Structure formats: C-alpha cells, structure tokens
Amino acid sequence: MSQSEMSRAKRHLETTRKMKEMLPRFFMRQMERRFSGSEPLAWCMVGVPPELLKAFDLLFEWPENFGTMCASRLVAPRFIEVAEGDGYSQELCSYVTNTMGYCKLTKEGGEPPEESPLPGGMGTPSMMLGSGFICEPRWKWFQSIATRFFDVPVYSSDPLAPPWDIDPRDPRIEEHYLSLLREDLAGQIAFMEKHTGRKLDLDLLRETLALSHEALGYWRDTLALRKAVPCPMGSTDYFHSIIPQMYLVGDREAVDFYREMYEEVKDRVDRGVGIVEEEKYRLIWFGLPPWFNMGIFNYLESLGAVVAYESTYNVGDYFEVDLSDPLEALVRRTWQRAVKMHDYGSETMPELCNPAVFGGFSGSSLLDELVGEYSLNGALMHLTRSCRAVSFGEVHTKNRLAGLGVPSLIFESDMADPRLWSDAQIKTRLHAFLETMDKAAGGGKIND
Amino acid sequence: MTENNRSSAAGRNAAIESEERIRRIKAKSGKPVIGYLCCFAPPEIISAAGAIPYRIMGRPGEDNSAADAYVEPYGCTYVRNILARAVRGELDFLDGLVISHSCDMVQRLYGIWTYYHPLPYSYMFNVPHQVSPWAQDFFKRELGFFQESLEKFTGHDIDPDSLKDTLTAYNLNRSLVRELYALRKENPPLVKGSEILDLLIDGGTLPPEDFTALLREKLAEAKLRSRLGGKGPRIMVWGSVMDDPALLLIIEEAGGRVVADDTCIGFRVWEKDVPLTDDLYTGLTEHYFINFQCPRTDRGPGVGRFDYLLQRAREYNIDGVVGYCISFCDPHKFDYPDLRDYLRKEGLPLLLVDDNYSFEPAGSLKTRLQAFMEMI
Ligand code: SF4
Ligand code: SF4
C-alpha cells in the first residue's frame, strides 16, 4: 500500500460540503467545555441513543467515528500496528484495534498522539456507554479499553430482537422482548445518573426526540429522492452526511442541516441534475465503505456508475412514536424497527433491531422492493475482512439478487485498514464488473 | 504421513463412528435427533422432550468450499466447516437444529442454515450478553419458549419430575467427568488430556445413560493404572471450541501433560452440576447462563473476569497455558492480550496457537510447542 493509491472524496452537494465548517464548530464547542473543568465525558458506541446524551447534556466521543477519521487521514495503520504489537490480531475489527493503539499511545505519551485527527484527540473518558446490538467486538471493545487503559465504569446495552422465525406479533413474544428493552434502558439511565451526578431531564429528552425525529424525517425523505433517474446524490455525500446524526441529532442545527440537504436534493431532482453525466449503471452498495479511499466512489462515477442506495447506516423507516412518555418512545422505536425488519424476513441478522446497518440482513423481501423502486441494476459488496458482522450475508444477498436478475460483485478490503487495499486490482475488478453488466444488458450472460 | 495427520485421523475415525452410532440409536429408539451447537440451550430439555440431543461436530482440516455458495470466506472456520458438512448432506440424520445466540458467527449460521436447508424442527435460543437481573429473567423466559417449541415438535410434554430426572442423569455424568479430571491432579497424571477429550466428544453425541457406562468403564480402568510415563510440564489449554484431540496430542508429543482446560466440550461444560432448585429453570439459568464461562458473555471490565482460570491453574498445579484460537474467533482473540498479561503477572506463561481449524502444519506447531515446554 502506498498512500498515493488513496484518494479523497469529491462531494457533490453544497450541504455536505458545508459540513466541513459545521463539524469543526461542534468540536470546538466540545473542546471548550472539556478544558473548562472536570465535566464527565462518555465514550459511546453507535446504538446508544444520541438523544439520551443530549438530554443529560453529557460530553461524548464516538470511537467508531474516530476510527473512520483516522482511516481517512491514513493514520489508522499506525494505531492498528501498535495494537497488533500488543497481541491484537489483524483479524479483529480495525475500528477497535485503531482505538486500542490510540489509547496505548495516549497512555504512554501522557497525551493523545499528535497525528490524531481531532484537535486534541478524543477527550479522556470518565465512563463508557457501549451497545452490543450488532456484533461481538462491540462487547469486547470497551471491556478491553477499561481493562487496559482507562479504569472507568462501562455500561453496555443489549437490545435483543427475535430471530427471523419467531413471530414478534405474538403478544407473549412482544412482552418477552419489550421487558428486556425497557429494563435495559432503565439500567442505562441509572448508570448515567450515577456517573454524571445529574438527573435525567424527561422534558429535555422529549424535546430532543422531537427534534431528532424531525431531522431523521428529512433524512429519510432525502434518501427516497434518490429513486429519481438520474440519481441526484451519491455515496460520498451519503456516507459523510451520517455524521451529524451522531454529533448533532437533537440540535436545531441538525434539523436545519437535513432540511437544507433535502431541499438541495429535491431541487436537483426537479431540475433533472444527476451526479454523473450519463448514468449507465445504478448500483446498490453493501457493507462499510473504505474510509481511507472514498474517492473510489468518484472513480465509479467516472465510469458512469452511481450508487443510489447504501445498505449501511441506513436509518430505514421512520416511525411515529408517542412522545408523551419519552422513555417508552425510545423503547418502542427500537422495537418497531425490529418488527419492521422482521416483516421483511431478516434471514441472516435476526438480532439487528436497530436499522443503522442493513448489511447482511437484506436477504429479504426488502431487496425486491429496492431493486424496483431505485431502478437498480447491479450491486457492489465490500467484504471487510476485519468486520464480518456487517459483511456477513453478502453471499446470501448476492444469491437473492441473482434471482432478481441483478448481478453483484463482492470485493475484499477493509473499512479502516488501508493495508488491505490494492488500488489497481480493485479498480480493475470494478471496471470489469461494469463491463459484464454491459454485456448482460446486451443479452450476454453474467457469471460474476 | 505427519504425526498430526495421524492424530487427526484418530479424531476423525472417532467422529465417523459417533455419527454411525447415532444413526443406529435413532433407528432403534425411533426418537428424533436434535443437533445443537454451543452450550446455552440445555440438552437436558431436549432429552426430557423425548428427543436425542446431539452435539454437532466438525471435521478439522476438511475442505470447507461447499460453504462458499452461502457464506463469505471470512469467518470462523469451525462454523464454516459445519455448514459445509450440512451442505454436503453429512448431517442428514438430524431431525432438528438448535443454535444458541452465542457468538456472532454461530448466531448468523442459524439464518443461513435454516434458509437453505430447512429441517423439520429448528430453534434459535436467544441469549443476552450480560448477566444482569433482567437478562436472567429473559433467559428464564427463553427456556420456557424453547421447551414449548420442543413439546410441540415431539408431542411429548415435559413435566417437572421428568425434567428433574433428566437433570439428575446428566449431573451424574458431570460428577464422573470431574472424577476423571481429578485423576490429572496427580503428578504425573493418570489420564491424558487427549483421552479425556475423546471421551467428552462421545459424551456430546450419546444419550446420557450410555455415556455414564462409558465414563464408569474409563474411570475403573484409569484408577488401576500406575503412573503415566514421566513428569512433564503441566499444561492447561484455553480457548475456542475443541472437538478434536489433535492439538492435545501434539502437546503430549512435545512432552507436555495436558491436565486441565477451559474450552467448550471440555471443562466449561462439566465443571459444575445443574442445581436442582425448586423451580428448575432457576438452576438451569444459573448453570447455563450465569456461571457458564464463555467470553461472549460480558462480565464487565477488569481482569477479575479471569479469576476462575487462575484458581483452576492453581488447583491443577499448572506450569503453562496453551491458548487455542480458531481464525476469526472474536470472543477469544479479544480476550487474549488481557489474559496473557494477567497470567504473566501470576508467573504463568501463555503460548497462543492460531489455527484455521486444521491443526496444520503439525510439524511447526510441534516445534513451537516443544520450545514452549523447554522454556517452562
Ligand atoms: S459492526 Fe463491524 S465495524 Fe462495527 S464494531 Fe462491529 S465489527 Fe467493528
Ligand atoms: S470458535 Fe469462536 S467464533 Fe467460532 S463458534 Fe466458537 S466462539 Fe464462535
């Protein structure tokens, strides 16, 4: 791997370009608070409701997102290698190993390593809030950090969902799961109250949820606009625009951001503006993106290929929930999403009740819908070696898509570790795949 | 033929024999055979429902390519191996399948397996990742749903007395296994680790009464033994599931004495009895969930989560630990650095063996293990 193989992404939307000013503003605000006293700070995992953090007015960091930033700045290999030196296998989730290396260097150097992407790195945690909703590594991640580096309390939530062959509408099953979700949330809140010394403000939580639902509503509507031909928004915009969901959801700023994004994309649809001149291929993307080389999407665009739907980080359907009891609203939101996925027949990821990641679950009737509604004619599947959780099910999905006449290409690399990226080889494969799609369109046979 | 091939071949013959045997038992008894993976869904409930529980075993080193049409190449090779076996029809004696939500790979195997190769009965036993009071309640309720599903399938209702009888029969085996383990507290040990694992593999694939007979026979014979060879470093094996004695045989060939373990099919399963509480589900929850030492269950941060291992190491007078990790085994691979450091502080070296479920190349494995034995 040489760094020159990696390319930064070109974004197409004004709104997502503007994030480059918006996020630093957010980070500066956090920094000021961090340095102004001894406020509690939580390291969090996707799956922890950002609304809850907001309602506690709690400082937070997302090591997962930090991993994507380290990856895109190409500093992840340095951190990962430090973790490997400690005995963490290269097979393990590179977001985790990235954090382990970062923590080790921080502990040893007494301050975050200077190559850290965020100014001053991540703040030192006083607690950790995990969520084991997608994968095993997420259970071990904070446990290991708190064992080796920062001796702080950890609470991991555990939102289980029914396996695909269990009826979630059976009232006894519903109660079986709902009671777990409710108590788990209560446990999380009790933990936060204890370690922040603050009482949960239910009114603030309600307000935050209302704002966050408003923002997510715009996001859902924006994604639906991508059904248009030509597709008005591509993957570089998509993947970057998930970030405000972690940092700003529950803020007015986030509502404004997603509304503006919606308006901009809508305007492009109205004017028939696509992101490539001649849209030859409309693709669906499965798996995590290669954060160190987001320019790969621009490469695809240069060949006339646009990704109109991504399986990962997709918040999926929007649910009306009754906010009068905001805690029950949080529980119901999780549950409704689980039931919805269940209705699609989530054969491979029965537990995935938070729709932030669809990867691997899509061997279901959802695929039929997507292919039709988004006029998709091909699929790219990024098989990430160190994250099997999200790439699991790609072969199965490929089988299902083949049944719908949609060809897929599975190619291997990683989300954060560029050492597993081989630029020339991957580009050759992508190119060849698009050519086979041409042949198929001309009546040829596809055998990839 | 390398020595290891010889070892695996021995394991393989035993495995083939166990599958032929279960076909015979099934034909004779007329009972359905229900295969299971992992140790959270109690086989006792399967037995009490009038079926035969059968712990599904892989075939280390065999070609897994039959799985490629259904799952990605990256993932626990043990699970891929089992899926390949199912695809090839080698497990066609199974009438049902029970998979617990243990690690990611096993949990996801359930969806793929039952989608492409549905069986007359299948159940995924859901398991929380923590042992909080509400997670324990969930586990208990899950036991109930599991029991119901079995009763529906076999048409055989389980009453508490019959469940208690079954638990008693299984507990008897647990105590016999512990007796066998105790014979290794001697120095040199009276039974080899590889011999015991062979027996335990049988134990997973036999009705409990048949296993009792086997265990009694082995115990009687072993107690009459004089010392087994000379002294050698006393080794504990920790790690991923082990359903073939190949690694233990290599350790023994390298001069080590495998006297204890912390693996599935090994001591994790037999260490304690299921408490016969008034409400049997309480005892089952304690045994199969709260006390079951699998690193997939979160026991909070800190090295206290390994204390039970240190205690075992002391009890068996261990000189060193061999860690065994199957490729892509997240739960064990994540724990390795913490465990290594913890044991090192206690003066116990840990050698990690990374394996793609083939125990190959046996030659270099043996060389590494020999060097380790010399070092300790
Ligand atoms: S889902 Fe994948 S990337 Fe995310 S924590 Fe789990 S293994 Fe890592
Ligand atoms: S060896 Fe590891 S990854 Fe494989 S099934 Fe067992 S715990 Fe899961």
Side-chain angles (χ1 to χ4, degrees), chain B residues 9-65:
Chain B
R12 181 155 312 152
N13 288 338
I16 292 171
E17 160 53 22
S18 84
E19 285 168 15
E20 282 168 3
R21 190 175 53 208
I22 196 71
R23 286 176 203 273
R24 288 196 300 271
I25 295 174
K26 175 177 161 167
K28 208 167 138 205
S29 67
K31 288 181 176 179
V33 175
I34 297 193
Y36 67 98
L37 280 180
C38 290
C39 311
F40 293 91
E44 287 95 333
I45 300 188
I46 302 177
S47 270
I52 305 171
Y54 182 89
R55 176 144 191 156
I56 302 168
M57 307 277 172
R59 294 279 163 83
E62 274 191 13
D63 179 23
N64 293 343
S65 58

Side-chain angles (χ1 to χ4, degrees), chain A residues 64 93 95-96 134-135 137-138 141 288 386-390 415:
Chain A
E64 251 151 318
C93 170
Y95 290 163
V96 180
I134 306 175
C135 70
R138 293 155 62 87
W141 193 346
L288 295 160
S386 83
C387 170
R388 274 88 58 202
V390 172
M415 64 286 189

Side-chain angles (χ1 to χ4, degrees), chain B residues 128-140:
Chain B
H129 294 83
Q130 289 165 322
V131 291
S132 60
W134 50 92
Q136 294 174 28
D137 291 344
F138 182 93
F139 190 93
K140 254 193 208 176

Side-chain angles (χ1 to χ4, degrees), chain B residues 61-125:
Chain B
E62 274 191 13
D63 179 23
N64 293 343
S65 58
D68 293 347
Y70 309 97
V71 288
E72 296 69 38
Y74 299 143
C76 167
T77 33
Y78 158 76
V79 166
R80 286 176 50 77
N81 183 282
I82 284 174
L83 180 63
R85 301 202 61 209
V87 170
R88 289 196 298 262
E90 292 169 16
L91 303 174
D92 61 357
F93 54 87
L94 297 180
D95 301 285
L97 175 69
V98 176
I99 289 191
S100 328
H101 181 171
S102 52
C103 69
D104 289 351
M105 200 53 197
V106 169
Q107 177 226 4
R108 281 157 208 193
L109 171 72
Y110 180 78
I112 292 285
W113 187 334
T114 53
Y115 182 83
Y116 289 100
H117 297 276
L119 293 104
Y121 170 81
S122 54
Y123 191 83
M124 199 195 87
F125 189 93

Side-chain angles (χ1 to χ4, degrees), chain A residues 56 127 186-201:
Chain A
F56 271 103
M127 72 184 89
Q188 191 178 27
I189 290 168
F191 174 91
M192 291 173 82
E193 290 189 336
K194 177 166 173 210
H195 296 288
T196 57
R198 299 168 193 162
K199 197 104 194 94
L200 172 64
D201 181 338

Side-chain angles (χ1 to χ4, degrees), chain B residues 63-342:
Chain B
D63 179 23
N64 293 343
S65 58
D68 293 347
Y70 309 97
V71 288
E72 296 69 38
Y74 299 143
C76 167
T77 33
Y78 158 76
V79 166
R80 286 176 50 77
N81 183 282
I82 284 174
L83 180 63
R85 301 202 61 209
V87 170
R88 289 196 298 262
E90 292 169 16
L91 303 174
D92 61 357
F93 54 87
L94 297 180
D95 301 285
L97 175 69
V98 176
I99 289 191
S100 328
H101 181 171
S102 52
C103 69
D104 289 351
M105 200 53 197
V106 169
Q107 177 226 4
R108 281 157 208 193
L109 171 72
Y110 180 78
I112 292 285
W113 187 334
T114 53
Y115 182 83
Y116 289 100
H117 297 276
L119 293 104
Y121 170 81
S122 54
Y123 191 83
M124 199 195 87
F125 189 93
N126 218 346
V127 189
H129 294 83
Q130 289 165 322
V131 291
S132 60
W134 50 92
Q136 294 174 28
D137 291 344
F138 182 93
F139 190 93
K140 254 193 208 176
R141 294 194 300 268
E142 188 66 19
L143 286 171
F145 285 116
F146 176 48
Q147 174 170 334
E148 259 180 54
S149 77
L150 280 163
E151 288 171 339
K152 211 166 128 199
F153 173 65
T154 60
H156 183 114
D157 282 353
I158 302 176
D159 63 70
D161 287 339
S162 69
L163 182 56
K164 195 168 189 171
D165 291 346
T166 314
L167 289 170
T168 309
Y170 275 78
N171 278 348
L172 171 62
N173 290 344
R174 291 188 174 97
S175 65
L176 294 173
V177 169
R178 287 196 298 270
E179 246 185 82
L180 260 175
Y181 266 69
L183 295 180
R184 294 193 292 175
K185 288 184 181 165
E186 311 257 340
N187 198 13
L190 290 184
V191 209
K192 287 187 188 175
S194 55
E195 276 178 277
I196 293 199
L197 183 58
D198 267 338
L199 258 182
L200 299 184
I201 291 169
D202 274 335
T205 57
L206 272 178
E209 317 73 57
D210 298 352
F211 187 38
T212 313
L214 249 181
L215 283 166
R216 288 215 158 109
E217 205 179 294
K218 187 74 176 184
L219 262 170
E221 185 258 319
K223 281 180 178 164
L224 291 177
R225 289 179 186 176
S226 51
R227 300 273 170 256
L228 250 192
K231 289 185 184 177
R234 296 173 63 82
I235 301 297
M236 170 155 76
V237 175
W238 162 87
S240 304
V241 62
M242 198 176 277
D243 61 359
D244 187 292
L247 179 70
L248 306 190
L249 285 163
I250 301 174
I251 296 173
E252 286 161 5
E253 282 165 14
R257 304 278 177 269
V258 180
V259 295
D261 70 79
D262 180 36
T263 58
C264 274
I265 302 184
F267 211 38
R268 275 184 202 165
V269 186
W270 307 99
E271 186 187 5
K272 292 188 180 103
D273 278 3
V274 175
L276 299 178
T277 43
D278 288 345
D279 161 15
L280 293 171
Y281 282 6
T282 302
L284 284 167
T285 302
E286 204 176 304
H287 183 84
Y288 280 100
F289 182 46
I290 305 173
N291 291 337
F292 187 73
Q293 292 294 348
C294 171
R296 61 70 74 192
T297 301
D298 180 28
R299 291 173 200 278
V303 285
R305 67 189 197 271
F306 304 123
D307 283 350
Y308 75 97
L309 260 180
L310 185 65
Q311 214 181 321
R312 192 171 304 165
R314 302 266 186 258
E315 206 179 312
Y316 285 84
N317 210 0
I318 297 296
D319 300 309
V321 178
V322 172
Y324 173 67
C325 280
I326 294 181
S327 35
F328 300 106
C329 175
D330 285 326
H332 291 91
K333 289 200 166 184
F334 269 111
D335 263 356
Y336 160 67
D338 286 346
L339 178 63
R340 176 203 55 202
D341 295 353
Y342 171 73

